[in-house]
C-alpha cells in the first residue's frame, strides 16, 4: 500500500509542475555581402542586439559597421553605417541606465581593414 501511495504522490507532483513557455524564432538576414557579428546582448525588454560589420569581405576592403535589433516577436531592424572611403566595424555594445545603447568600434580612414586606427563611439536610442 505504501508503494501505491508513493506512486500517486510522485504522479501528483509531476502533474502540478507547469512547463515553462518557450518563445523561439528564426531570423533570416540575407544580403549579397559577408556579415560578421562581433558581440550581442539582450536588453531589459527582451530585445537581442547584435553588432559587427557587413561588406564584401576583407579582401575587397569594403566593410562597414552594422547593428541589428531583434524583437521578441522575431521582427528586426538593422542599420548599416557606411562611410565613404572608410572600413569600419562595431566591437562592443552595452545598455545604459536610460535604456540607450552604447556602442564602440573602430574604423580606418584610408580603407585598410587591417589597420583600423580610429576609435568609434556611438549612442543609439531605443528606437
Amino acid at each position: 500500500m505504501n508503494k501505491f501511495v508513493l506512486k500517486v504522490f510522485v504522479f501528483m507532483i509531476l502533474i502540478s509542475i507547469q512547463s515553462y513557455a518557450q518563445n523561439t524564432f528564426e531570423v533570416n538576414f540575407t544580403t549579397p555581402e559577408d556579415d560578421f557579428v562581433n558581440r550581442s546582448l539582450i536588453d531589459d525588454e527582451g530585445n537581442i542586439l547584435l553588432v559587427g560589420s557587413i561588406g564584401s569581405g576583407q579582401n575587397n576592403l569594403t566593410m562597414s559597421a552594422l547593428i541589428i535589433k531583434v524583437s521578441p516577436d522575431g521582427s528586426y531592424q538593422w542599420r548599416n553605417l557606411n562611410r565613404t572611403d572608410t572600413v569600419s566595424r562595431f566591437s562592443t555594445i552595452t545598455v545604459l541606465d536610460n535604456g540607450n545603447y552604447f556602442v564602440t568600434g573602430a574604423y580606418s580612414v584610408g580603407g585598410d581593414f587591417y589597420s583600423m586606427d580610429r576609435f568609434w563611439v556611438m549612442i543609439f536610442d531605443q528606437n
Side-chain angles (χ1 to χ4, degrees):
M1 186 67 165
N2 287 339
K3 289 182 182 180
F4 177 73
V5 172
L6 181 63
K7 287 180 184 178
V8 170
F9 180 70
V10 170
F11 182 71
M12 294 296 286
I13 289 175
L14 291 176
I15 290 177
S16 66
I17 298 173
Q18 294 183 7
S19 61
Y20 292 101
Q22 180 179 359
N23 295 329
T24 60
F25 57 86
E26 180 178 332
V27 175
N28 292 319
F29 184 74
T30 57
T31 64
E33 301 173 316
D34 297 330
D35 307 324
F36 178 74
V37 174
N38 236 357
R39 294 281 188 269
S40 64
L41 70 80
I42 299 175
D43 67 4
D44 296 334
E45 297 173 0
N47 300 311
I48 300 170
L49 292 126
L50 309 165
V51 295
S53 58
I54 184 173
S56 298
Q58 297 177 2
N59 295 334
N60 293 341
L61 305 178
T62 57
M63 302 293 284
S64 59
L66 172 70
I67 183 167
I68 304 171
K69 180 180 180 179
V70 183
S71 300
D73 64 357
S75 63
Y76 64 91
Q77 303 171 355
W78 69 284
R79 182 153 184 207
N80 178 13
L81 294 141
N82 192 3
R83 298 179 65 177
T84 311
D85 296 332
T86 62
V87 174
S88 60
R89 72 170 173 247
F90 286 142
S91 300
T92 64
I93 183 167
T94 305
V95 178
L96 299 174
D97 292 338
N98 61 2
N100 292 338
Y101 309 116
F102 181 76
V103 180
T104 63
Y107 69 96
S108 170
V109 179
D112 185 7
F113 182 83
Y114 298 103
S115 65
M116 291 190 204
D117 55 352
R118 307 290 171 109
F119 187 62
W120 201 356
V121 176
M122 296 191 80
I123 297 177
F124 292 94
D125 63 8
Q126 297 169 352
N127 298 325

